Amino acid sequence: MIRLLQFNILEGFYVQGEALDLDRIAAAKRLVDALRPDVIVLNEALYIERGRERYTDYADLFGMENQVGHQYDLAWGNAIVSRFPLGEVSAHPFYRRSSLVCTVASPDGEFRLATYHPHPGRRGPLRAGDFETTLAAVGTGRPAVISGDFNAVMPWDNPCRESLMQGFKRFTLPEKVEGDVDRFIDSGIHIATVMERHGFRDLVEERAHTIPTDFLSLDKGSAMRIDHVFGNSGIKHASGAVVRHAQAEWASDHRPVVVDLAI
């Protein structure tokens, strides 16, 4: 069994892109120590590329041996850190973001792994095209997983538009509430359609909201599950859940998602 952790780490544990928040890092490390994942997929992994003025070694931070990543929009990026070797790496740029694809060489066999964190302002049909491009890079014929903060609610979570609008009114400009909520819901429909067409299924069975954590807000009126893990038919068994752990409430504004995979 392979344990994968999907985790949006809120601006790479940085405070306004400058200083690292050591309390959040400590909470995240305690969480990872408790969960013992083999692979961690990181969104909002700032300063991920070597050779630049600033660099963050997330593999070292979490006690892993291997790391791949791609930086976009000056500082932001995606990273995958792993106990297992990583290869066949590619990045695919989209509007102010990019997806990251690689191969994980686990002792149980290789599998393809991708992550994408779409810009929240990107409309559903355009996101669908982004996911089509990413899954084309993943390819066919091998076990594959795609995970990430999709900034979208899946239709089978049955999001209540009116409840979300009431929650969003507490932190969003009035003229933007309706459009923002509709984009989360509509994008989920488009992404779900792409996943189904390519034979990918939702691997998270124990579902709960992933945002906001207590770190962001104690008000859960806008709570949604927007962090997801999907797998194709090459994933023979999977058991997934949104992580409910004290440290998860303070490490980031997102709860992580953990999935145990068999290939």
Side-chain angles (χ1 to χ4, degrees), residues 60-118:
D60 181 68
L61 186 70
F62 290 117
M64 298 286 187
E65 290 78 26
N66 303 286
Q67 171 173 295
V68 297
H70 182 254
Q71 193 163 308
Y72 56 82
D73 204 12
L74 300 180
W76 292 53
N78 299 308
I80 297 170
V81 301
S82 172
R83 304 187 192 283
F84 312 133
L86 304 171
E88 295 183 277
V89 183
S90 62
H92 308 274
F94 306 115
Y95 172 69
R96 296 184 61 184
R97 300 290 167 95
S98 67
S99 62
L100 178 66
V101 181
C102 72
T103 298
V104 181
S106 85
D108 297 337
E110 291 187 348
F111 67 97
R112 296 286 276 162
L113 176 59
T115 185
Y116 182 37
H117 177 207

Side-chain angles (χ1 to χ4, degrees), residues 94-96 116 118-130 151 183 187:
F94 306 115
Y95 172 69
R96 296 184 61 184
Y116 182 37
H119 191 281
R122 193 149 172 84
R123 292 184 294 111
L126 296 175
R127 292 194 208 189
D130 300 343
N151 274 319
R183 204 156 39 245
S187 294

Side-chain angles (χ1 to χ4, degrees), residues 202-230:
D202 191 340
L203 300 182
V204 179
E205 300 164 336
E206 186 183 335
R207 297 169 186 164
H209 72 270
T210 57
I211 190 170
T213 60
D214 292 347
F215 174 81
L216 181 63
S217 177
L218 296 176
D219 183 343
K220 308 303 181 185
S222 62
M224 302 177 289
R225 184 176 72 106
I226 63 174
D227 302 81
H228 304 283
V229 183
F230 282 76

Side-chain angles (χ1 to χ4, degrees), residues 8-24:
N8 178 320
I9 54 173
L10 181 58
E11 300 184 6
F13 302 119
Y14 282 85
V15 180
Q16 297 181 338
E18 296 298 326
L20 285 165
D21 186 327
L22 300 182
D23 290 337
R24 286 180 51 219

